[in-house]
């Protein structure tokens, strides 16, 4: 009889401990879930924990730009570049933001920087083709030499010959 009660008591104690752990984990998960209300809150949380994260700063800038908060976005792109001057996407985003602000030549210069940085990399993917696309598009919009524009797109085709986008451009 004592042996039976002991097993039952141990089972109840184990069950109570498991329930307590589940309650604590649920509470922690609920708090953490509030961090991910949206992209902005997520990136702000990452930056609060890792203030020198170039990826989080750049992505927050992108979210802010999309929301029309251009000055804040530019600040985040500048912070990203101050931390990692070789962060290609930050230069790309900054160049696009400058163009959006009507600073066409400054935007082109920033996009050129992004392209030069990208040229120094040995690994390419389709997402990085955006640098070529936006740089070529900026040159074309600004009325620059058509041969230079074509050369930008041609370079993209040599980097990723199986991707359709540069061939289309």
């Amino acid at each position: 009889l004592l042996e039976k009660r002991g097993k039952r008591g141990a089972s109840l104690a184990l069950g109570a401990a498991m329930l307590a752990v589940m309650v604590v984990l649920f509470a922690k998960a609920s708090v953490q879930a509030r961090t991910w209300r949206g992209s902005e809150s997520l990136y702000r949380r990452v930056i609060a924990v890792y203030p020198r994260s170039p990826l989080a700063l750049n992505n927050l800038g992108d979210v802010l730009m999309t929301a029309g908060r251009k000055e804040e976005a530019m600040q985040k792109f500048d912070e990203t570049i101050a931390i990692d001057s070789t962060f290609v996407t930050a230069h790309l985003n900054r160049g696009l933001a400058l163009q959006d602000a009507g600073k066409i030549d400054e935007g082109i210069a920033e996009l050129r920087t992004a392209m030069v940085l990208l040229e120094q990399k040995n690994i390419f993917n389709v997402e990085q083709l955006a640098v070529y696309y936006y740089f070529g598009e900026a040159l074309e919009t600004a009325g620059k030499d058509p041969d230079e524009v074509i050369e930008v797109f041609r370079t993209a085709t040599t980097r990723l010959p199986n991707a359709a986008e540069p061939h289309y451009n």
Side-chain angles (χ1 to χ4, degrees), residues 4-166:
K4 212 176 194 184
R5 281 188 186 172
K7 285 183 182 179
R8 183 173 170 190
S11 293
L12 285 173
L14 181 61
M18 288 175 51
L19 181 61
V21 168
M22 288 174 53
V23 167
V24 168
L25 291 176
F26 178 76
K28 291 273 189 187
S30 294
V31 169
Q32 193 66 20
R34 281 180 254 162
T35 300
W36 295 297
R37 290 185 310 270
S39 296
E40 183 176 346
S41 64
L42 172 64
Y43 294 128
R44 287 194 185 280
R45 174 67 180 143
V46 172
I47 292 165
V49 176
Y50 303 103
R52 295 185 53 81
S53 169
L55 182 60
L57 286 164
N58 178 70
N59 289 353
L60 176 58
D62 191 41
V63 167
L64 294 169
M65 191 72 185
T66 301
R69 295 158 59 189
K70 297 173 184 179
E71 287 180 25
E72 288 178 84
M74 186 64 80
Q75 179 186 7
K76 295 305 172 197
F77 300 142
D78 290 343
E79 287 177 46
T80 303
I81 292 167
I83 291 168
D84 182 357
S85 63
T86 66
F87 200 98
V88 174
T89 309
H91 288 283
L92 169 63
N93 287 337
R94 188 173 190 283
L96 295 175
L98 286 165
Q99 282 186 293
D100 191 59
K103 299 175 180 178
I104 304 302
D105 288 337
E106 288 178 55
I108 288 173
E110 196 69 44
L111 292 170
R112 186 179 307 276
T113 298
M115 198 173 79
V116 167
L117 289 169
L118 186 59
E119 291 291 322
Q120 296 170 358
K121 294 182 176 258
N122 294 325
I123 301 169
F124 294 91
N125 61 46
V126 174
E127 290 175 3
Q128 292 171 325
L129 289 175
V131 172
Y132 294 99
Y133 173 77
Y134 287 115
F135 182 63
E137 185 180 67
L139 291 173
E140 185 176 29
T141 301
K144 302 295 183 186
D145 180 12
D147 291 334
E148 184 181 6
V149 174
I150 291 168
E151 188 57 35
V152 168
F153 292 129
R154 188 168 285 135
T155 301
T157 63
T158 61
R159 293 292 183 191
L160 283 171
N162 296 327
E165 292 89 345

